[in-house]
Amino acid sequence: MTLDPAPCKIKHNLARLTGDWAATEGERWLFVAKTLLAAFTALWLAFRLGLDSPTTAMTTTFILALPSSGMVLEKAFYRLLGTVVGCASALLLVAVCPQQAPLLFLGLALWIAACTCGAAMYRNQQSYSFVLAGYTAAMIAIPALDHPAGAFALAVTRVVEVSLGVICATVVHDALLPRHQSAQVMRTVQARYLRFLGFCRDVLEHKAPPAETELAHLRFAADIAALESGRAAAFFEAAHARAHTRQLHEFNNAFMAALTTFYTLHRLTHRLRQDAASPVPALIEPLLARLAAALARGDALQGAALDDMQSALAAAIAAARAEAADAGGPAQRDAPAPGSAPGSSNGAPAPPHRIDFETAIELLERFARQFGQFAAVYHGLARRKRSQASEPQAYMPKTPPAIVLASGFRAATALLAVAGVWYWMAWPYAINAVLMTAIFCALASSSPRPTAMIKQVMTGFLIAWPLSFLTEFLLVMPGGGYPMLVLAAAPLFAAGAYLITDPKRAGIGIGVTLFSAQVIAPLNLAHYDVAAFLNTTLAMPLGVALAWAIFAVVLPEHTMGHKDHVAAALWREALATCTAPLRAMPPLRWRAGAPRLAAIRHRFDSRVRDLLSQLNAASGPAPGEGAREVVRQGLTLLELGHSVLELRALVGEAGRSQARSALQDCVSALAAYFKAPSQERCATAVGAVLRAGTAVRTALPDAAPGRSARLRTALTDLHAIYTCLLDQLQQPSAGASHSHGARHAA
């Protein structure tokens, strides 16, 4: 029997279309359905329990409406924690300042400033816990100003209402067709791995222009931060294991190491290709082409295939060295120190191309080794194979201190200004404006574009204002009973929840749901008052507008990801690689300090990538030339910082010797340059690098085999530093512009 191909084709197309819809629009409408179920369940239970403010429980479910169950659980935990801390602080403030408005507002301002600083510092769901602790204190303390005896009842009720909303949201999102964050994390891991392979292949084959390469590094920095955020959310899911957390940390660490080495290799080969007289590119290009061909295998590059790639690359490198040595070329074993004239062992000048070749080979071997580790971690994750590796370092974000302090100052100023106006006007409903200003000043403090974020929420408020009025007085009030309330309010809530699923309009959806949830649902004893409705709904958008005005007027340049602050912070992080204390390392046992050195290197990697991630978020999809300049400088400082750390390891190993003194002088000169970048200090550092290269070169003949290998690696690092500094000397505005950025950020 044969099947009619037409019906089979129709069935296939229908199945494909159904699958596509389920993966896109279906996911969005499922999210809407779960959000409404959680909201109306919380509202019904609040009515049944006789809570004073049922809208608080329902609003909590809208706030916790997030795409995955892990994200819901994480935010629920930190919301509950922040609520408890905020209520406790409010009770303390009311007890210390009973019925003393000036002192109470001053204490609240200091508390909210401290919480906002914490929110700006962490920038994740822990940040949200700080935000809650701040504005919850205001929500309890301000209404209790004239009735301090009722503060405890307000705090207990608030905790109960928020807890009810948390329970309903977590049960619905985690039990009914959950979308697990751990699965999303694995998709992110796979996409990152394949994107990195494609990026490396394009660069090695000279298909990626320099501008696109810079943007790729910016996006990779954002990917690193996003993966850490996703991992933190997946941690709250029951299926997530501690070993999986370690592997994800290891994946991020291995990726950062391989990416940094690849960038250094790319910069060196790009410089070499600019020199038409250099014979090095002819020797290096076949090796790069071989590596690009191996990377083209994608996911198939694992296990034996990865071992074969590394073996073949090692054989090709050995052949290239032999070919260069036979020709008397750049790969001679007595490679000189960095620079065009650092001198050989007897002080005579030597051809500069030898160290170029050896440096390129060293970087290529290092990248192949680090990529092998990165691929092994990735395939272990993909196959869900438990790793037996030791506990890796966690990702360490860094917010510039100036932005943290400015966020706290802005929040305190906003609260005091709005509270003063409220107290002077004696308008009872202005308390809603005070709370909205405090809430959004704190929430926007960790946003790279706070005014845009607040503007979107304000748009949602303005859209929901007339719709909420019509729903409240034309549908909810005439209807009788809870079912009619659900039918009347569901369309508006569904529209807001649907907008939340669109990343470009999520802020509008949040504004619609928060505004309508606050004003539509009645209290247990229903009371419909048009005047009260208009006063309340006027005060809420007014408070959000005041928050926008605060960000536009008070320290507007001190926002997350501002290029001047990122630039200054990058220089500080580079300085830390020179000055961060290392554990004492006895002579001839440099590995004794390796754990401390590895921790400093990891902190440096994490913080530089995090700063670039902030810059990426603030710059948007099309960064301007100023942002691109900061990216270029950040990548250069990343390259310099890694080389400096390697030199510091050798300083600890070298004992008392001329080489040790020269290397220490080199590190000190670089520290002076990082502290106050200028052309003069850069030139001084170049001279120190050349002297260190000569000293290391002189120490090579008498060194033991193990120490000789370290000295040769030091020559490679010195050469990398030397070429980077030469690039800086060729950019007269670089030092000046970034020193100006440092002064501006301070």
Side-chain angles (χ1 to χ4, degrees):
M1 181 179 68
T2 61
L3 295 176
D4 185 357
C8 292
K9 186 175 182 180
I10 293 173
K11 183 178 180 181
H12 172 74
N13 291 337
L14 184 61
R16 180 174 58 81
L17 291 174
T18 303
D20 292 342
W21 183 88
T24 54
E25 285 297 307
E27 287 280 356
R28 299 177 72 177
W29 284 109
L30 177 62
F31 171 81
V32 170
K34 292 197 294 184
T35 300
L36 295 186
L37 177 61
F40 287 122
T41 301
L43 182 62
W44 182 81
L45 289 173
F47 283 145
R48 296 291 295 176
L49 295 173
L51 300 182
D52 293 339
S53 179
T55 57
T56 300
M58 183 172 65
T59 303
T60 296
T61 64
F62 285 122
I63 292 173
L64 298 181
L66 294 168
S68 70
S69 58
M71 296 171 73
V72 172
L73 292 167
E74 181 190 28
K75 192 168 186 177
F77 172 79
Y78 286 116
R79 180 172 177 82
L80 193 56
L81 176 63
T83 300
V84 172
V85 173
C87 288
S89 63
L91 293 176
L92 179 62
L93 285 170
V94 171
V96 172
C97 312
Q99 294 182 310
Q100 300 180 38
L103 290 179
L104 180 64
F105 282 125
L106 182 60
L108 273 177
L110 293 175
W111 172 250
I112 289 178
C115 291
T116 304
C117 286
M121 189 178 300
Y122 284 93
R123 307 190 324 277
N124 50 23
Q125 295 304 339
Q126 295 178 27
S127 165
Y128 183 64
S129 188
F130 280 98
V131 171
L132 258 293
Y135 77 72
T136 298
M139 296 180 74
I140 301 301
I142 294 177
L145 181 61
D146 295 326
H147 304 284
F152 183 77
L154 283 174
V156 172
T157 302
R158 176 75 183 178
V159 171
V160 171
E161 290 164 351
V162 169
S163 300
L164 178 60
V166 163
I167 292 171
C168 292
T170 53
V171 169
V172 169
H173 286 278
D174 194 44
L176 300 179
L177 301 175
R179 186 182 181 189
H180 292 299
Q181 181 66 27
S182 53
Q184 178 62 36
V185 167
M186 285 310 304
R187 287 193 290 270
T188 302
V189 165
Q190 183 179 26
R192 162 100 65 83
Y193 179 75
L194 296 177
R195 189 161 59 249
F196 179 60
L197 262 62
F199 166 73
C200 293
R201 190 170 64 252
D202 289 344
V203 170
L204 293 172
E205 295 175 350
H206 315 309
K207 295 180 180 178
E212 181 59 31
T213 302
E214 293 166 4
L215 291 180
H217 281 278
L218 201 58
R219 289 191 290 267
F220 280 132
D223 286 348
I224 293 169
L227 181 62
E228 172 59 21
S229 178
R231 181 212 59 78
F235 178 80
F236 285 82
E237 294 178 344
H240 185 85
R242 181 174 173 82
H244 196 213
T245 294
R246 289 198 298 268
Q247 285 177 287
L248 289 171
H249 282 318
E250 192 178 359
F251 177 82
N252 252 351
N253 296 347
F255 176 70
M256 287 189 288
L259 185 60
T260 301
T261 301
F262 183 78
Y263 175 74
T264 307
L265 174 63
H266 165 62
R267 283 276 296 266
L268 177 62
T269 55
H270 179 72
R271 295 186 193 106
L272 293 176
R273 286 196 298 272
Q274 307 307 309
D275 183 4
S278 174
V280 177
L283 295 168
I284 296 297
E285 287 298 333
L287 304 178
L288 301 181
R290 180 183 291 272
L291 179 59
L295 295 179
R297 301 183 63 179
D299 260 339
L301 189 62
Q302 57 177 302
L306 185 60
D307 294 338
D308 291 344
M309 182 272 285
Q310 292 178 324
S311 300
L313 186 60
I317 289 173
R321 277 181 165 145
E323 178 185 352
D326 291 343
Q332 294 178 5
R333 291 290 180 181
D334 56 343
S340 57
S344 60
S345 59
N346 56 9
H353 302 310
R354 299 174 185 174
I355 191 63
D356 285 335
F357 178 83
E358 287 296 334
T359 301
I361 292 298
E362 166 70 20
L363 291 172
L364 185 58
E365 290 176 331
R366 189 185 302 175
F367 174 71
R369 184 169 59 253
Q370 291 173 340
F371 176 78
Q373 296 168 354
F374 174 59
V377 175
Y378 164 72
H379 289 297
L381 277 169
R383 294 195 298 268
R384 301 185 181 276
K385 182 180 179 181
R386 295 292 176 87
S387 173
Q388 300 301 320
S390 59
E391 184 75 33
Q393 298 284 339
Y395 182 74
M396 302 172 66
K398 173 70 173 181
T399 303
I403 293 177
V404 173
L405 295 176
S407 299
F409 175 77
R410 191 184 293 116
T413 302
L415 179 70
L416 289 176
V418 180
V421 173
W422 166 62
Y423 197 70
W424 173 71
M425 291 178 62
W427 180 33
Y429 294 95
I431 187 175
N432 294 311
V434 176
L435 295 176
M436 286 292 130
T437 302
I439 289 171
F440 284 96
C441 279
L443 282 175
S445 64
S446 56
S447 171
R449 285 175 281 184
T451 54
M453 170 197 163
I454 295 175
K455 191 181 296 183
Q456 273 210 338
V457 175
M458 170 65 83
T459 303
F461 274 34
L462 295 178
I463 291 173
W465 194 349
L467 296 177
S468 297
F469 181 86
L470 296 174
T471 302
E472 173 82 354
F473 293 101
L474 298 184
L475 298 177
V476 175
M477 188 173 69
Y482 185 76
M484 293 304 299
L485 170 64
V486 172
L487 292 176
L492 184 55
F493 291 156
Y498 184 81
L499 287 173
I500 291 175
T501 62
D502 183 358
K504 294 182 179 180
R505 300 177 179 84
I508 298 175
I510 291 172
V512 169
T513 54
L514 292 184
F515 187 93
S516 54
Q518 287 292 315
V519 300
I520 287 179
L523 300 178
N524 272 294
L525 295 176
H527 178 69
Y528 299 97
D529 187 340
V530 174
F533 179 92
L534 293 177
N535 275 280
T536 301
T537 55
L538 175 63
M540 291 171 62
L542 181 60
V544 178
L546 289 173
W548 178 89
I550 289 292
F551 274 97
V553 174
V554 180
L555 302 175
E557 72 282 359
H558 286 67
T559 53
M560 200 71 62
H562 193 281
K563 61 182 182 63
D564 289 339
H565 295 286
V566 171
L570 288 169
W571 285 98
R572 288 195 297 270
E573 293 302 328
L575 176 62
T577 62
C578 301
T579 58
L582 292 176
R583 192 170 61 188
M585 294 184 287
L588 304 181
R589 292 184 61 193
W590 68 271
R591 284 184 176 84
R596 175 62 180 164
L597 185 69
I600 295 174
R601 182 185 293 110
H602 172 75
R603 183 184 66 183
F604 176 63
D605 261 345
S606 297
R607 291 185 170 179
V608 169
R609 304 290 181 191
D610 184 66
L611 288 166
L612 293 179
S613 172
Q614 295 174 43
L615 180 66
N616 176 74
S619 302
E625 182 54 36
R628 288 173 178 266
E629 181 185 350
V630 175
V631 174
R632 289 191 290 269
Q633 191 65 61
L635 293 174
T636 298
L637 291 174
L638 191 64
E639 185 178 353
L640 285 169
H642 274 267
S643 298
V644 167
L645 289 173
E646 293 294 333
L647 293 184
R648 292 189 67 192
L650 185 61
V651 167
E653 178 260 344
R656 292 183 178 276
S657 65
Q658 184 180 1
R660 184 184 187 279
S661 299
L663 288 172
Q664 186 61 59
D665 291 343
C666 176
V667 172
S668 299
L670 287 167
Y673 172 57
F674 293 152
K675 187 175 183 179
S678 67
Q679 293 292 291
E680 293 75 17
R681 290 177 184 265
C682 185
T684 301
V686 169
V689 170
L690 291 175
R691 290 190 295 274
T694 301
V696 172
R697 175 90 177 106
T698 303
L700 264 174
D702 300 328
R707 185 163 181 258
S708 176
R710 291 287 299 157
L711 291 174
R712 292 184 183 279
T713 301
L715 287 177
T716 299
D717 293 320
L718 285 169
H719 186 60
I721 295 172
Y722 176 75
T723 53
C724 283
L725 294 178
L726 286 185
D727 286 347
Q728 297 294 293
L729 284 174
Q730 294 169 7
Q731 301 172 10
S733 63
S737 66
H738 287 288
S739 61
H740 169 73
R743 290 194 301 271
H744 178 72

